[in-house]
Amino acid sequence: MTTILIIDDDGDVRDTLALILEEAGYKTLTATSGSGGAQMFRDARPDLVITDMIMPESDGIEAIRAIHAVERAARIIAMSGQSFAGRAYYLQLAQRFGAMAVLPKPFEADELLSIVASCLTASPAAEEPAPKH
């Protein structure tokens, strides 16, 4: 069974994502911070990670960098619900640091499932070097 790690400090978002993904047949794990998510990734090695970008303890960029330090080919979707200009900036930054896809909040369930399916079937970019920032 495909396992997806959800990293978000908002419990409602985590629960909603888990419900949508589990109803679609995926197994889910959840974490409340970037550092907690990176640790869970190290322990469980899920097939895909969905991370929020803005979190109080450690953010999505930190999570992406820590996860890619463990497995460069990790499949990651970055999401953000900040204001339009701020959201675009954070999501572009996430892609520079290796997110395979981005998902602006709010989103529809079918949009989430489409992006998840696309990331799970796409070839990961294992050969690309991580940005030095």
Side-chain angles (χ1 to χ4, degrees):
M1 177 178 277
T2 301
T3 302
I4 300 173
L5 171 59
I6 302 162
I7 307 171
D8 199 308
D9 61 311
D10 184 323
D12 291 336
V13 172
R14 281 193 319 273
D15 293 346
T16 300
L17 286 168
L19 180 66
I20 293 167
L21 293 167
E22 288 170 4
E23 285 182 354
Y26 299 105
K27 176 182 175 187
T28 63
L29 305 170
T30 61
T32 60
S33 69
S35 59
Q39 182 61 50
M40 188 166 289
F41 182 86
R42 283 189 289 277
D43 295 343
R45 298 297 173 104
D47 301 288
L48 178 69
V49 176
I50 301 173
T51 185
D52 189 23
M53 293 306 299
I54 308 298
M55 296 178 280
E57 183 186 319
S58 58
D59 65 22
I61 296 297
E62 292 169 322
I64 291 168
R65 292 182 73 193
I67 290 166
H68 277 160
V70 173
E71 184 179 324
R72 181 63 191 120
R75 299 167 190 271
I76 301 172
I77 298 171
M79 60 182 175
S80 180
Q82 295 298 308
S83 67
F84 182 77
R87 175 176 59 207
Y89 169 76
Y90 285 114
L91 294 177
Q92 286 176 343
L93 194 57
Q95 287 186 301
R96 285 192 57 214
F97 279 92
M100 290 184 80
V102 295
L103 184 62
K105 293 182 204 174
F107 49 82
E108 298 295 324
D110 58 344
E111 181 182 11
L112 168 67
L113 294 173
S114 175
I115 291 172
V116 165
S118 176
C119 287
L120 288 169
T121 59
S123 296
E127 303 83 36
E128 295 178 22
K132 295 179 183 4
H133 289 274

